[in-house]
């Protein structure tokens, strides 16, 4: 059985997430699409303390990236579509048929769930909403159900027509064709996509989707448990992924490997044969320091990040301020094959400044002059994405070790 050291496991993992290579190169059109296809998807998030998650994910790999490039791919070129993995994401359009099973399962699951915990009557709005879009063109949620009582706007209190829009999108009758601000704009799928993409007769069978999901997740993870394979796209169940792994192992197309964690413990995972000859094992990741989104694909699975990097992280957006350990929206910092720190910072665009409030180093990382210079260089790049011209450090911004705060 292949036994990967922690350093080797990190190299494989960072390589698959496009974080080993130097952050450089073109970042629009086909080059940007290739990057997104390599990652599989890019999670969308509305929080904009510095930049939105999807923008920082792409920027951290290609600093020439600007948000308009993603908007062009999505809204003009129709090279991407929006749907769900573990959360809302933009996904390469050529993967659209593989979401047929997800749309089928969402149709059943959401109808059962939302009939219980959403406002009554959303199912009655299906045809009304579809007719309005057919006659008037794409709509946002504010364009439908104008005579319906508006609630707080939270997901738990959508008005019936808003719920109908979301259901029709998640189940496939509608596509999201863009966003106004961060508000989704919906149109009829039949009017947006080529028929071969959305025709149910062309849809892959369940077994084909399970095979695609597991195989393509493994391509992007390098090694994984069956649970991690199931969670990557979040279409299939762990039981379905486990069955696939055992069948592939029996056929000699998959083998078990032993992965050493940051704390020295070991864990079994599956990998394709030949992982010990993977080129990534011979290539040390770039030493360029970069700031990552909390929703970066490499950090989405918090438990996996903790095992591989010894990096304990949780997003504290929904934690009351007095109870936060670090801050509202804290960014991990990657250098080489280590997560070396986390930074609480925010762009104050009315003041034209990116303000660093606090930084904590990780483990036994020393925050010396060379690392500070590298950090300031990254801040200089990030400020351009944030749309400000200056960087400021608050008094007492260097806070010591994160592990001391974690207890």
């Amino acid at each position: 059985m292949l036994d990967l050291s922690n350093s080797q496991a990190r190299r494989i993992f960072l390589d698959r997430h496009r974080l080993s290579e130097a952050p450089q190169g073109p970042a629009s059109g086909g080059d940007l699409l290739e990057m997104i296809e390599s990652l599989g998807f890019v999670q969308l998030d509305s929080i904009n303390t510095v930049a939105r998650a999807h923008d920082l994910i792409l920027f951290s790999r290609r600093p020439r990236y600007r948000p308009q490039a993603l908007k062009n791919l999505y809204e003009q070129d129709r090279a991407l579509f929006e749907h769900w993995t573990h959360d809302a994401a933009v996904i390469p359009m050529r993967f659209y048929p593989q979401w047929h099973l997800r749309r089928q399962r969402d149709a059943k699951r959401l109808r059962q769930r939302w009939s219980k915990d959403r406002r009554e009557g959303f199912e009655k709005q299906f045809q009304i909403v579809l007719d309005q879009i057919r006659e008037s063109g794409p709509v946002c949620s504010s364009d439908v159900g104008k005579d319906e009582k508006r609630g707080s706007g939270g997901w738990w209190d959508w008005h019936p027509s808003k719920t109908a829009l979301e259901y029709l999108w998640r189940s496939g009758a509608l596509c999201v064709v863009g966003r106004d601000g961060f508000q989704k704009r919906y149109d009829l799928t039949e009017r947006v996509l080529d028929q071969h993409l959305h025709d149910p007769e062309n849809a892959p069978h369940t077994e084909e989707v399970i095979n695609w999901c597991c195989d393509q997740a493994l391509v992007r993870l390098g090694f994984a448990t069956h649970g991690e394979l199931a969670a990557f796209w979040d279409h299939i169940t762990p039981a379905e992924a486990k069955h696939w792994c055992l069948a592939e192992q029996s056929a000699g197309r998959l083998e078990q490997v032993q992965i050493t964690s940051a704390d020295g413990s070991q864990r079994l995972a599956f990998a394709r044969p030949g992982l010990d000859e993977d080129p990534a094992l011979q290539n040390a990741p770039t030493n360029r320091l970069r700031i990552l989104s909390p929703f970066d694909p490499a950090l989405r699975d918090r438990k996996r990040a903790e095992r591989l990097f010894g990096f304990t992280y949780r997003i504290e957006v929904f934690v009351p301020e007095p109870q936060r350990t670090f801050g509202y929206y804290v960014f991990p910092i990657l250098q080489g094959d280590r997560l070396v720190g986390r930074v609480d910072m925010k762009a104050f665009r009315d003041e034209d400044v990116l303000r660093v409030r606090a930084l904590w180093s990780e483990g036994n990382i020393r925050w010396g002059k060379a690392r500070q210079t590298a950090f300031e260089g990254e801040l200089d790049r990030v400020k351009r994405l944030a749309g400000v011209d200056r960087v400021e450090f608050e008094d007492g911004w260097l806070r010591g070790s994160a592990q001391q705060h974690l207890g």
Side-chain angles (χ1 to χ4, degrees):
M1 179 186 295
L2 176 63
D3 190 344
L4 286 183
S5 69
N6 184 242
S7 176
Q8 289 174 316
R10 292 187 194 195
R11 286 190 177 191
I12 293 288
F13 187 73
L14 291 171
D15 173 78
R16 298 307 193 269
H17 287 82
R18 303 293 294 269
L19 289 170
S20 283
E21 63 199 65
Q24 60 188 22
S28 61
D31 295 293
L32 182 61
L33 180 59
E34 183 275 331
M35 174 65 72
I36 297 171
E37 288 185 343
S38 179
L39 296 174
F41 59 88
V42 175
Q43 182 176 337
L44 298 170
D45 192 75
S46 62
I47 297 173
N48 195 13
T49 55
V50 172
R52 290 196 167 110
H54 43 282
D55 292 322
L56 187 54
I57 288 168
L58 296 169
F59 176 86
S60 65
R61 290 157 174 82
R62 295 287 173 88
R64 288 163 60 180
Y65 167 82
R66 293 297 179 268
Q68 188 61 43
L70 183 64
K71 189 176 181 68
N72 290 345
L73 269 185
Y74 182 14
E75 299 184 11
Q76 294 182 16
D77 301 341
R78 295 277 180 255
L80 304 168
F81 71 98
E82 183 173 337
H83 212 273
W84 277 64
T85 54
H86 65 290
D87 210 322
V90 284
I91 305 147
M93 185 63 77
R94 70 185 185 92
F95 297 168
Y96 188 87
Q98 305 298 339
W99 260 250
H100 178 71
L101 180 64
R102 176 62 178 262
R103 292 187 290 270
Q104 279 188 318
R105 290 181 171 180
D106 277 0
K108 180 179 180 180
R109 180 174 58 86
L110 296 179
R111 198 160 193 161
Q112 291 174 341
R113 182 195 299 174
W114 290 357
S115 293
K116 296 176 182 178
D117 61 15
R118 300 293 170 94
R119 292 189 185 186
E120 295 182 3
F122 78 93
E123 293 159 307
K124 297 177 182 177
Q125 303 304 311
F126 288 167
Q127 196 58 50
I128 296 171
V129 166
L130 290 170
D131 288 345
Q132 179 179 344
I133 296 172
R134 185 169 284 109
E135 294 170 9
S136 305
V139 301
C140 295
S141 59
S142 57
D143 300 320
V144 298
K146 293 190 175 182
D147 59 342
E148 296 169 10
K149 182 180 178 182
R150 259 55 174 176
S152 64
W155 63 265
W156 61 89
D157 201 16
W158 291 343
H159 59 84
S161 291
K162 162 65 172 172
T163 306
L165 271 177
E166 286 288 301
Y167 179 87
L168 291 167
W169 165 52
R170 296 280 293 271
S171 57
L174 300 179
C175 277
V176 175
V177 293
R179 288 177 178 258
D180 296 334
F182 210 70
Q183 189 177 44
K184 293 193 287 287
R185 191 167 65 253
Y186 307 80
D187 201 354
L188 301 174
T189 298
E190 64 194 50
R191 196 154 59 193
V192 175
L193 303 184
D194 292 338
Q195 186 175 358
H196 75 276
L197 286 173
H198 67 85
D199 189 341
E201 293 187 4
N202 296 332
H205 298 298
T206 299
E207 289 304 314
E208 294 178 78
V209 175
I210 292 171
N211 180 70
W212 183 89
C213 284
C214 291
D215 175 69
Q216 292 300 302
L218 192 56
V219 166
R220 290 165 176 83
L221 293 173
F223 52 85
T225 65
H226 69 269
E228 290 167 342
L229 293 179
F232 186 86
W233 307 103
D234 201 26
H235 290 6
I236 64 174
T237 67
E240 289 169 331
K242 183 176 182 179
H243 178 78
W244 180 86
C245 288
L246 295 177
E248 289 290 287
Q249 185 180 25
S250 178
R253 294 188 293 268
L254 209 62
E255 62 185 19
Q256 283 196 306
V257 296
Q258 194 157 250
I259 308 298
T260 303
S261 300
D263 64 2
S265 63
Q266 294 185 315
R267 179 181 173 90
L268 291 177
F270 289 102
R272 293 297 189 191
L275 190 64
D276 57 331
E277 298 178 356
D278 195 290
L281 294 175
Q282 307 305 320
N283 299 322
T286 175
N287 200 46
R288 166 86 162 262
L289 184 146
R290 58 185 123 186
I291 293 166
L292 301 182
S293 164
F295 299 109
D296 193 278
L299 302 172
R300 177 189 64 81
D301 186 335
R302 308 292 191 209
K303 292 181 179 179
R304 188 179 175 111
E306 185 166 0
R307 285 196 304 272
L308 279 180
F309 300 99
F311 184 74
T312 302
Y313 183 92
R314 69 168 176 164
I315 194 79
E316 297 186 280
V317 168
F318 302 111
V319 177
E321 185 170 1
Q323 298 173 27
R324 291 175 189 149
T325 304
F326 296 106
Y328 174 78
Y329 199 85
V330 174
F331 299 83
I333 304 171
L334 176 72
Q335 188 174 30
D337 69 350
R338 296 186 294 177
L339 287 158
V340 298
R342 62 189 81 196
V343 58
D344 180 9
M345 60 183 184
K346 182 177 180 180
F348 293 85
R349 295 175 179 88
D350 57 337
E351 301 177 43
D352 200 28
V353 65
L354 175 63
R355 189 163 290 133
V356 176
R357 295 165 161 171
L359 181 143
W360 299 264
S361 60
E362 292 295 315
N364 60 358
I365 295 294
R366 180 176 174 273
W367 204 265
K369 184 180 293 186
R371 186 162 281 121
Q372 177 63 18
T373 298
F375 178 54
E376 290 176 6
E378 177 69 346
L379 291 175
D380 191 57
R381 290 182 286 271
V382 168
K383 76 181 183 184
R384 293 194 286 273
L385 180 67
V388 298
D389 285 334
R390 296 181 295 113
V391 175
E392 289 182 358
F393 292 82
E394 290 189 358
D395 291 341
W397 64 274
L398 193 55
R399 302 288 181 87
S401 169
Q403 280 59 42
Q404 294 174 351
H405 290 264
L406 288 167

